[in-house]
Amino acid sequence: MDQIHYRACTICEAMCGLQIEVKDGFIAGFKGDPEDKFSRGHICPKGPELKSLYQDPDRIKFPIKRTESGWEPVSWQEAFSDIATQIIKIQEQYGNDSVAVYNGNPNVHNYGSMLFGQRFASRLKTKNNFSATSVDQLPHQLLSYLMFGHQLLIPIPDIDHTDFFLILGGNPFASNGSLMSVPDVKKRLKAIQERGGKYIVVDPRKTETASHADEHIFIRPGTDAYFLFAIVNVLFERKMVQKNDLISEADLDEIRNWASEYSPKKVEKITGISSENIERIAEEFANAKTAVCYGRVGVSTQEFGAICQWLINVINIITGNLDKRGGAMFTLPAVDLVGPGSAMRSSPGSFNAYQSRVRKLPEFSEELPVAALAEEILTPGEGKIRALFTSAGNPVLSTPNGTKLDLALSGLDFMVCVDFYLNETTKHANYILPPTSALEHDHYDLIFNVFAVRNTTRYSQPLFDPEPGMLHDWEIFSDLTKRLELVRAGKPLPKEIIRTKLTPASIIDHALKTGPYGPKGKLGGEMSLDLLKNSPHGVDLGPLQSCFPERLCTEDQKIRLVPLKLKEDFPRLSLKFKEWESFTEGHSNFLLIGRRHLRSNNSWMHNLPKLMTGKPRCTLMIHPEDASRLGIADDEKVIVESSAGSVLISAEVTKELMKGVVSIPHGFGHNRTGTNQKVATEFSGVSINDLTDDQSIDVFSGNAAFSGIKVSIKKQNL
Ligand SMILES: Nc1nc2c(c(=O)[nH]1)N[C@H]1C(S)=C(S)[C@@H](COP(=O)(O)OP(=O)(O)OC[C@H]3O[C@@H](n4cnc5c(=O)[nH]c(N)nc54)[C@H](O)[C@@H]3O)O[C@H]1N2
Ligand SMILES: Nc1nc2c(c(=O)[nH]1)N[C@H]1C(S)=C(S)[C@@H](COP(=O)(O)OP(=O)(O)OC[C@H]3O[C@@H](n4cnc5c(=O)[nH]c(N)nc54)[C@H](O)[C@@H]3O)O[C@H]1N2
Ligand code: SF4
Ligand SMILES: [Mo]
């Protein structure tokens, strides 16, 4: 039967609407849905590859178990029962914390996995919860918690209305936007220029986004906090700070004091940005009708990631651009995870309520920094991690010091992975429990509607029925949760798979009806799952609206402009400044940064042949002057060495990079043995996270610091 199927793409945060033509049960055409209310026909090369993922011969569909003679099929029931039994046995012997959990990025693109995976993890009652948050956006969530009272009350650039957009450490042309869900970002950035506004990119690399910007400014990696402080300094010096009922004058005075330490003149040598440029940008920002400052992965994942996100919020607030059209705004999604009284309200957050065992790194929202995972497995003593669950993650390639984690995982007593690939992480598992792929299950964007540049909502139905006997992520977690409870209670385990009445869709239906746009919601609309089922192109709920103080979650509904705890971190910033002053990029010393490519998605889409065509992607980018000083030619193999390890990689000589800086994309390194991703192995590349160090973190937040890793470079044949 022929049909046209509409659904949202689940790969990145842009949530593009897809239009899929099906003939006789096969996909005959794949394009962006021109009628989609949010993405307006936009699509990138990865979207159509959901089909290749569905058809990938290396995709695992049924559970497998590692035995002495290799991987063997096993029934779901047998796997589930054995897992529940082993886990409880380990916890009874060594305590609840001896079992750890790691949740990877695709969980947030999979509402079933999120809803039921979290329930499962909470039943394990372990403090050793880790996720990709602490190699990514942890500082954003932490600062939203500390300043606005809720970790998901995240300021989103109002890209469609702003006149001045200052972007630090984000490359939306490649990433399609992050903590700014924005399909067709190119068009929307161009529209800023067409309406007479401008956008500036501050980045150690002249990226695709920077090349189209009105201005690109190189910055030395890891020094953004000084640049941002200097902007604040100018705003105060030139009396361009706006007061506001939601902030206290005492806080403003305090910020002025702290900022006085970082004049543009003082930071220019360290940041590589001239004082004239800093002063001009501050002036332009303050004088623009509307303006927004936004910093993403490049600034979140550095030694002062939290201070950077704080300063970004401060700049938006004190120039009067927070919660204002054209500035940094907040969403009001159909499923509200923030508002008090919402059926789906998530935890506002918590910070430093407990610490990791070995390095005493702080908890955030009941999670510990993943940079501590390897040492928590490897360090003997009470509380050592002995078993690990991973779900939709590949931490061997995605977290700092992957080599160390690789070694640690090989020594675990027990490991279970919910994933459909046998990759660098899952190869260590005792059981791999594979879920269905995106086209085989329904979908609702629980998270990315919270970060979108417009309020929109959409529900996607499954396109294909899974093969008989396959399970969705949520079904896997649902059964495991129940079995865990039964074993704990000493009850017998059933032979069949345990089904629950509750489904992800039923949970969302309730949340939609009681949410802001539902019949019981404050706007009194018609929102429900049925409405969305009949709206295949999504429902537009309008542009972002001002919502403070009502939506502020602090007790007194004021902004905590200077969060108490953060102040403890300022002396560290001063100390580091002194270190920078004596730092010279020596003959072969460089600062390493990462990069993303439109056709890659973290570590997991390298097995899809169509995405791997074109020039080799996993190269070391280096500036021509640096290359010639070291006698390195384009394409030549070089050895890159850091405190954590070394890799051999081809050089790509390019003026895109700032002098003294080199770049390697993350997510590669598919050359390890024991995996089964044939295409990925062919294009293996090396892992940048064999160079990044688990000791290099933002010690305040615990987030990994990937930007500006010190490395040395030499020719292979020296
Ligand atoms: N195609 C594609 N899209 C993706 C992904 C992907 O892997 N591929 N991943 C998705 C995920 S999980 C995320 S979190 C988002 C991330 O989305 P973005 O944050 O937009 O991602 P990047 O392209 O890594 O951009 C980071 C930029 O920071 C710069 N940078 C590095 N160090 C510094 C520094 O010290 N200071 C400054 N100012 N800049 C620095 C880098 O040069 C780079 O241009 O993308 C998502 N979308
Ligand atoms: N050096 C450096 N390292 C980085 C970054 C960087 O910029 N530089 N970026 C960091 C960022 S922002 C992120 S988010 C992390 C990502 O880190 P991770 O989430 O650990 O890694 P991914 O590569 O996204 O791996 C996703 C895994 O999920 C599986 N998968 C995909 N879809 C599903 C699904 O629906 N269900 C299940 N169960 N499994 C699924 C894939 O097969 C794959 O094994 O990497 C981080 N690492
Ligand atoms: S931009 Fe992101 S959501 Fe849109 S098609 Fe590409 S991968 Fe999918
Ligand atoms: Mo991410």
Side-chain angles (χ1 to χ4, degrees):
M1 201 183 73
D2 298 356
Q3 67 167 115
I4 302 280
H5 176 81
Y6 297 97
R7 69 176 296 113
C9 177
T10 48
I11 296 167
C12 86
E13 301 180 32
M15 305 188 280
C16 297
L18 305 174
Q19 179 177 314
I20 309 173
E21 196 185 335
V22 186
K23 281 201 166 117
D24 304 322
F26 291 97
I27 294 177
F30 219 114
K31 61 176 193 172
D33 174 8
E35 288 179 65
D36 187 277
K37 297 286 185 290
F38 188 46
S39 60
R40 311 179 295 201
H42 177 264
I43 193 171
C44 89
K46 294 185 295 304
E49 294 315 301
L50 283 175
K51 173 184 168 186
S52 312
L53 176 65
Y54 170 68
Q55 295 172 338
D56 189 344
D58 289 339
R59 178 159 72 102
I60 306 166
K61 295 183 176 166
F62 299 98
I64 51 175
K65 177 182 178 174
R66 186 156 49 85
T67 69
E68 302 239 308
S69 51
W71 290 97
E72 281 180 11
V74 56
S75 73
W76 286 112
Q77 295 88 318
E78 190 188 325
F80 289 152
S81 295
D82 190 35
I83 292 166
T85 312
Q86 301 262 14
I87 289 297
I88 296 294
K89 202 168 120 201
I90 292 172
Q91 286 194 319
E92 277 174 357
Q93 193 170 351
Y94 300 106
N96 289 346
D97 296 339
S98 61
V99 177
V101 176
Y102 173 81
N103 280 307
N105 167 277
N107 278 297
V108 262
H109 296 268
N110 182 328
Y111 83 126
S113 172
M114 267 200 87
L115 290 170
F116 286 78
Q118 270 175 9
R119 260 178 80 227
F120 171 72
S122 71
R123 296 297 196 280
L124 286 173
K125 299 181 186 150
T126 171
K127 283 189 182 141
N128 282 314
N129 263 309
F130 303 88
S131 84
T133 291
S134 51
V135 282
D136 187 352
Q137 81 291 354
L138 172 55
H140 294 250
Q141 286 178 239
L142 174 59
L143 265 301
S144 283
Y145 166 66
L146 294 176
M147 297 178 83
F148 312 129
H150 198 292
Q151 57 172 327
L152 293 179
L153 199 56
I154 297 219
I156 311 298
D158 188 13
I159 188 171
D160 288 342
H161 302 102
T162 195
D163 301 288
F164 190 92
F165 193 7
L166 179 60
I167 302 176
L168 288 91
N171 182 14
F173 270 49
S175 68
N176 284 296
S178 179
L179 294 186
M180 174 177 70
S181 284
V182 53
D184 68 1
V185 68
K186 282 187 199 172
K187 272 196 208 151
R188 295 183 200 236
L189 284 172
K190 196 150 181 251
I192 300 178
Q193 296 167 325
E194 284 168 356
R195 59 179 181 263
K198 71 191 269 187
Y199 79 94
I200 299 182
V201 174
V202 180
D203 198 302
R205 178 178 153 233
K206 185 162 189 174
T207 60
E208 299 83 344
T209 313
S211 307
H212 290 80
D214 296 274
E215 218 178 314
H216 165 237
I217 294 172
F218 281 122
I219 186 167
R220 185 195 255 167
T223 65
D224 296 70
Y226 305 113
F227 165 72
L228 291 162
F229 246 136
I231 298 256
V232 175
N233 175 303
V234 179
L235 293 174
F236 277 104
E237 285 291 314
R238 306 211 172 162
K239 309 219 171 343
M240 293 185 292
V241 170
Q242 294 187 22
K243 294 185 179 153
N244 166 340
D245 287 348
L246 298 177
I247 56 181
S248 86
E249 296 228 6
D251 279 354
L252 280 177
D253 287 342
E254 196 163 347
I255 295 177
R256 179 195 289 120
N257 270 338
W258 286 107
S260 66
E261 201 185 317
Y262 301 107
S263 69
K265 263 268 162 279
K266 184 170 170 191
V267 307
E268 68 179 352
K269 190 165 157 269
I270 277 147
T271 57
I273 306 181
S274 71
S275 54
E276 292 77 24
N277 264 344
I278 298 176
E279 283 163 15
R280 183 180 50 81
I281 291 170
E283 290 252 357
E284 287 184 14
F285 196 97
N287 291 333
K289 206 163 100 222
T290 62
V292 59
C293 180
Y294 158 82
R296 225 9 226 115
V297 157
V299 284
S300 318
T301 56
Q302 52 174 270
E303 250 182 285
F304 295 95
I307 290 189
C308 283
Q309 289 309 327
W310 172 69
L311 286 166
I312 287 168
N313 287 345
V314 165
I315 290 171
N316 288 326
I317 294 167
I318 66 177
T319 55
N321 282 297
L322 188 82
D323 193 39
K324 178 178 131 188
R325 179 140 304 171
M329 301 195 76
F330 301 90
T331 54
L332 184 63
V335 173
D336 186 9
L337 306 182
V338 171
S342 163
M344 292 286 285
R345 186 174 206 236
S346 75
S347 148
S350 53
F351 181 50
N352 209 8
Y354 51 90
Q355 297 76 31
S356 65
R357 177 182 62 114
V358 179
R359 220 187 316 169
K360 310 285 174 241
L361 297 181
E363 155 274 357
F364 174 67
S365 201
E366 300 186 359
E367 269 190 43
L368 289 168
V370 70
L373 177 56
E375 70 197 14
E376 292 295 333
I377 299 172
L378 291 169
T379 313
E382 210 185 311
K384 170 180 138 81
I385 295 173
R386 291 165 193 273
L388 175 69
F389 266 90
T390 73
S391 165
N394 191 1
V396 168
L397 294 191
S398 63
T399 65
N401 205 341
T403 322
K404 185 169 167 187
L405 186 62
D406 200 355
L407 176 79
L409 298 186
S410 67
L412 282 168
D413 294 353
F414 192 61
M415 180 166 164
V416 179
C417 295
V418 183
D419 204 304
F420 37 60
Y421 278 124
L422 180 53
N423 65 21
E424 298 74 17
T425 296
T426 60
K427 72 171 195 180
H428 292 292
N430 296 84
Y431 286 98
I432 299 181
L433 307 176
T436 53
S437 78
L439 298 180
E440 296 153 309
H441 57 72
D442 70 347
H443 175 65
Y444 184 83
D445 269 296
L446 206 51
I447 291 296
F448 297 106
N449 286 317
V450 181
F451 305 143
V453 299
R454 273 184 87 81
N455 289 316
T456 70
T457 180
R458 195 205 293 96
Y459 173 74
S460 309
Q461 316 240 27
L463 171 56
F464 297 119
D465 287 332
E467 282 173 38
M470 288 178 73
L471 295 181
H472 304 306
D473 288 85
W474 71 270
E475 292 177 308
I476 294 171
F477 283 118
S478 172
D479 182 294
L480 272 176
T481 310
K482 192 72 201 158
R483 250 169 242 260
L484 213 59
E485 283 165 0
L486 290 173
V487 178
R488 225 183 235 137
K491 300 225 171 98
L493 296 174
K495 295 255 180 305
E496 63 284 352
I497 292 169
I498 304 168
R499 307 275 174 192
T500 110
K501 276 201 195 116
L502 216 56
T503 65
S506 69
I507 296 172
I508 288 303
D509 186 35
H510 176 70
L512 288 169
K513 285 177 180 154
T514 54
Y517 309 89
K520 294 180 194 150
K522 66 173 183 186
L523 302 175
E526 298 292 308
M527 191 56 68
S528 70
L529 194 63
D530 278 343
L531 178 87
L532 294 188
K533 282 183 179 165
N534 291 318
S535 316
H537 311 293
V539 176
D540 183 31
L541 301 166
L544 307 185
Q545 305 290 342
S546 300
C547 63
F548 275 12
E550 298 78 37
R551 230 166 137 65
L552 257 175
C553 297
T554 48
E555 261 171 40
D556 55 359
Q557 291 206 317
K558 302 257 191 238
I559 295 170
R560 305 254 172 279
L561 193 60
V562 185
L564 273 182
K565 288 186 179 154
L566 191 77
K567 284 198 279 190
E568 294 162 15
D569 204 28
F570 292 159
R572 188 170 65 97
L573 189 69
S574 308
L575 221 63
K576 182 74 188 186
F577 195 85
K578 296 206 175 69
E579 211 181 290
W580 277 118
E581 281 179 315
S582 57
F583 174 80
T584 38
E585 284 117 342
H587 180 68
S588 58
N589 291 335
F590 290 86
L591 295 172
L592 172 69
I593 60 168
R595 66 178 187 270
R596 282 177 161 75
H597 190 281
L598 188 61
R599 300 167 80 88
S600 286
N601 194 51
N602 297 326
S603 78
W604 71 276
M605 296 190 78
H606 292 149
N607 208 45
L608 308 177
K610 277 198 191 146
L611 290 178
M612 299 314 285
T613 54
K615 273 179 27 182
R617 225 172 277 163
C618 188
T619 58
L620 177 91
M621 284 187 172
I622 182 166
H623 189 277
E625 281 181 30
D626 288 329
S628 92
R629 192 177 69 243
L630 297 176
I632 293 167
D634 201 28
D635 248 0
E636 190 174 341
K637 290 266 190 217
V638 294
I639 297 166
V640 187
E641 202 172 316
S642 72
S643 56
S646 73
V647 300
L648 181 68
I649 185 170
S650 297
E652 181 180 345
V653 179
T654 166
K655 280 197 178 137
E656 272 176 35
L657 277 217
M658 191 176 181
K659 275 182 252 169
V661 178
V662 289
S663 161
I664 299 177
H666 79 284
F668 284 91
H670 308 294
N671 45 355
R672 288 166 152 94
T673 55
T675 62
N676 184 29
Q677 291 190 292
K678 294 179 201 70
V679 180
T681 305
E682 202 183 312
F683 297 90
S684 70
V686 296
S687 175
I688 187 178
N689 287 325
D690 290 340
L691 292 168
T692 60
D693 196 328
D694 52 319
Q695 301 301 310
S696 166
I697 57 168
D698 172 7
V699 290
F700 179 74
S701 67
N703 209 35
F706 295 132
S707 300
I709 299 285
K710 288 183 187 149
V711 294
S712 67
I713 291 172
K714 59 176 190 238
K715 285 159 75 91
Q716 183 185 11
N717 301 321
L718 267 187

